[in-house]
């Protein structure tokens, strides 16, 4: 009788398999609306037992990796991610709608995140490191010959897929166009909107566009040619009023997880060297 050995099966995390493509569990169901002092509010019935949940907003597709170490805490903390551009993430944090905003915004002094966050968080807060990666041009391999920058993209008539207003990737594109003396209207597809780095890469890989601005990890996940344009630092901005919350304290512990650091380091193009490091304290504005 032959001994039975466990079989390891490896499925590549490439293309659509790098992210979840199914429905996520709902925390509640909208059951109706009420009017309160002229404003319409929604009635929500919880689905299951409510539990402490860290709510994070931002565009880095690595943010969902926080779910595993948060779930191992005692007691555990659940995780919910709202994908959105960096400026929207900061606005949500400033209005108390999320615990943490993930951002990669270049300030006027070329320092990432500190100045933009200080300008929006009136009560101040903390800036905590998460990871760094490069951002640049992602191109379909068959259309990448002879392309080294936006001047070549414009001259070759390549179709662009753009990010939504408020995204740092869109700001990077606009800076590159301005430096090259190119009018945005000259680029086919400039007015298109993709909602994230992976969505930009997916659109290019599907042949819906030829080029776009995305993070290096997203481009590599879809086997695209990548031309770096900027080194980006993605930080977690925590409003002062949330720092002592159970959810954020759980986040700070999760950021030191060896499992999380190994996962981030395994992603092509990611550098987690400053993960969990206190980058800056934002003073309140009076």
């Amino acid at each position: 009788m032959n001994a039975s050995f466990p079989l390891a099966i490896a499925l590549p995390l490439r293309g659509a398999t790098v992210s979840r493509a199914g429905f996520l569990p709902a925390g509640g169901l909208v059951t109706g609306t009420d009017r309160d002092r002229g404003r319409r509010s929604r009635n929500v019935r919880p689905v299951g037992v409510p539990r402490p949940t860290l709510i994070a907003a931002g565009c880095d597709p690595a943010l969902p990796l926080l779910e595993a170490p948060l779930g191992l805490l005692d007691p555990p903390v659940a995780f919910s991610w709202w994908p959105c551009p960096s400026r929207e993430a900061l606005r949500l944090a400033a209005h108390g709608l999320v615990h943490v905003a993930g951002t990669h915004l270049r300030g006027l002094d070329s320092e990432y995140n500190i100045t933009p966050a200080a300008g929006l968080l009136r009560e101040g807060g903390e800036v905590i490191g998460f990871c760094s990666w490069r951002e640049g041009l992602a191109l379909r391999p068959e259309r990448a010959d002879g392309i080294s920058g936006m001047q070549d993209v414009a001259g070759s008539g390549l179709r662009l897929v753009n990010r939504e207003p408020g995204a740092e990737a869109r700001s990077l594109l606009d800076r590159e166009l301005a430096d090259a003396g190119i009018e945005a209207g000259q680029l086919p597809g400039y007015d298109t909107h993709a909602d994230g780095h992976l969505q930009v890469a997916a659109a290019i890989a599907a042949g819906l566009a030829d080029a776009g601005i995305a993070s290096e990890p997203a481009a590599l996940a879809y086997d695209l040619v990548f031309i770096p344009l900027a080194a980006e630092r993605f930080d977690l901005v925590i409003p002062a009023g949330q720092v002592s919350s159970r959810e954020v304290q759980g986040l700070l512990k999760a950021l030191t997880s060896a499992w999380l650091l190994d996962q981030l380091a395994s992603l092509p193009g990611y550098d987690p060297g400053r993960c969990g490091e206190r980058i800056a304290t934002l003073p309140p504005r009076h």
Side-chain angles (χ1 to χ4, degrees), residues 24 58 69 81 84 109 113 116 140 155 173 208 232 235 238 243 280:
L24 296 178
W81 174 40
C84 65
D109 55 1
N113 303 317
R140 280 203 293 154
L173 172 63
L208 302 176
E232 307 268 317
D235 294 328
I238 304 168
V243 172

Side-chain angles (χ1 to χ4, degrees), residues 118-281:
L120 285 172
L121 297 185
R122 180 175 295 275
E123 302 303 320
E126 300 290 337
V127 181
I128 307 296
F130 187 63
C131 62
S132 300
W133 29 259
R134 296 189 297 179
E135 194 159 48
L137 267 174
L139 299 144
R140 280 203 293 154
E142 60 269 30
R143 300 301 306 271
D145 288 347
I147 305 297
S148 61
M150 290 309 306
Q151 191 78 53
D152 298 322
V153 170
S156 301
L158 299 184
R159 295 171 299 159
L160 191 72
V161 56
N162 204 352
R163 286 288 304 280
E164 68 272 52
E168 179 61 20
R170 189 183 184 99
S171 298
L172 174 59
L173 172 63
D174 290 342
R175 292 196 298 269
E176 291 291 318
L177 293 177
D179 290 344
I182 300 171
E183 292 289 336
Q186 297 178 13
L187 293 179
Y190 178 85
D191 293 329
T192 58
H193 294 170
D195 291 333
H197 297 281
L198 289 174
Q199 288 79 358
V200 168
I204 297 170
L208 302 176
D210 300 312
I213 301 293
S215 67
E216 182 177 14
L220 296 179
Y222 280 84
D223 294 323
L224 303 178
V225 172
F226 179 77
I227 300 174
L229 298 175
E232 307 268 317
R233 194 183 77 222
F234 188 90
D235 294 328
L236 304 177
V237 179
I238 304 168
Q242 300 288 354
V243 172
S244 62
S245 68
R246 173 178 168 182
E247 293 83 359
V248 168
Q249 289 300 305
L251 167 66
L252 297 178
K253 292 179 182 177
L255 291 174
T256 64
S257 161
W259 180 90
L260 176 65
L261 296 176
D262 287 344
Q263 287 289 323
L264 290 173
S266 74
L267 293 171
Y270 271 74
D271 177 6
R274 303 188 73 178
C275 187
E277 178 183 335
R278 191 178 301 273
I279 303 296
T281 296

Side-chain angles (χ1 to χ4, degrees), residues 64-79:
L65 292 174
L66 288 167
E67 183 173 7
L70 285 170
L72 294 175
L73 296 175
D74 186 17
V77 174
F79 177 78

Side-chain angles (χ1 to χ4, degrees), residues 89-139:
L90 283 176
R91 284 193 290 268
L92 290 172
H95 285 88
L97 299 176
V98 299
H99 294 99
V100 58
T103 72
H104 63 113
L105 289 172
R106 192 172 77 167
L108 295 177
D109 55 1
S110 295
E111 175 65 79
Y112 274 88
N113 303 317
I114 297 174
T115 302
L120 285 172
L121 297 185
R122 180 175 295 275
E123 302 303 320
E126 300 290 337
V127 181
I128 307 296
F130 187 63
C131 62
S132 300
W133 29 259
R134 296 189 297 179
E135 194 159 48
L137 267 174
L139 299 144

